[in-house]
Amino acid sequence: MPRQSDDALSEVIGFILIIALITIFLSLWMTYVIPAEGRQQEIEHMNYVRDWFTQYKITADSLWINHDADSKDLTSVTISNSLVLGSQGGATQAGGLFIPVMSPTGSTGSIAVKNVSAEGGGVERIVFNVATPFEIPMWRLEFATNNNYWVPQTYYYQMGGVFLRQQTGTVARIMPLIIFPSENDAEIIIIRLDGGGESGLSGKGSVRIDTKLNSAQSEQGSLGGGNIKFILSDENAARGWENMLKEQGYPVPFRVNNEVTVTLSGNIQCEFANYTVSVQSIASLVD
């Protein structure tokens, strides 16, 4: 009988070994390289968002700081800023040997002008318990993202400050426009945001945020003494405001659940700046 050849069997075994090596390589790539690359992209994007909100705060403040109450020269002036919502912007998912599954999945983000509900009812607001009591809603310009590889984060501009919210709590990245010249006096710039037109968008691409100064009060209105109560969305937000107020040195804030109160026996002075903020989509391609 003729001897049987093992050549065909050797080729099959070699092919199986090659497939096994490719599978191991792809598995290691998807387990270690893709998450690391995606995490780096999302960290860089969140740093970009942080810097964007810092610049937005400076630009928005410049409108009311330079506003002349008599000439009203900056009334109705609109400033525009663009923001990329996703960690990969409008990029495609191809990459890494041109196989889509070998590149990180880009995160999406959303930005909106919103009035957040508070625990116990109502919305986030400041209550002035003075001779003539009144309250002011605390609107936000808020960016939120659901990162795929990094810590989900939310940045928002509120009362002239920039806040960062994470699962572990809320911190003030930039202080709101609240000053305590002494332990008994306060000076507060009330920033009112009103959503105009499209007030919220989500996705991965770029959006344009238009901010218009409607009016600004240059002269400070004296309210006398009393207490100021900050009613926040939850305890995490309240702790963020409590810690921020403590950093001022005085007065000592008092927190109960989602409410933070400061009591002032001297004088509370207020200024007002009223804005309309709208969000517009930006086309990625031009016909």
Side-chain angles (χ1 to χ4, degrees), residues 164-199:
L164 167 61
R165 181 184 181 91
Q166 299 183 126
Q167 295 172 344
T168 54
T170 301
V171 296
R173 298 286 307 190
I174 300 177
M175 298 285 284
L177 298 171
I178 301 174
I179 303 170
F180 299 101
S182 71
E183 60 181 339
N184 296 315
D185 302 304
E187 297 178 6
I188 303 176
I189 310 298
I190 304 295
I191 303 294
R192 290 171 169 165
L193 302 180
D194 179 33
E198 189 73 42
S199 58

Side-chain angles (χ1 to χ4, degrees), residues 21-39:
L21 289 174
I22 293 175
T23 302
I24 292 172
F25 170 77
L26 291 177
S27 298
L28 292 174
W29 183 277
M30 297 179 69
T31 302
Y32 297 103
V33 178
I34 290 179
E37 184 180 344
R39 183 166 57 250

Side-chain angles (χ1 to χ4, degrees), residues 35 41 61 116 129 140 154 189 240-241 269 275:
Q41 288 178 357
D61 285 357
V116 179
N129 293 309
R140 300 179 181 182
T154 298
I189 310 298
W241 274 82
Q269 294 183 320
Y275 296 93

Side-chain angles (χ1 to χ4, degrees), residues 187-237:
E187 297 178 6
I188 303 176
I189 310 298
I190 304 295
I191 303 294
R192 290 171 169 165
L193 302 180
D194 179 33
E198 189 73 42
S199 58
L201 287 172
S202 61
K204 295 183 179 181
S206 298
V207 296
R208 190 183 79 237
I209 296 90
D210 295 333
T211 305
K212 180 176 71 174
L213 178 66
N214 294 324
S215 63
Q217 175 189 345
S218 300
E219 299 81 11
Q220 292 183 331
S222 180
L223 305 177
N227 69 58
I228 307 172
K229 181 181 293 185
F230 302 88
I231 301 177
L232 287 309
S233 58
D234 52 39
E235 288 193 40
N236 280 340

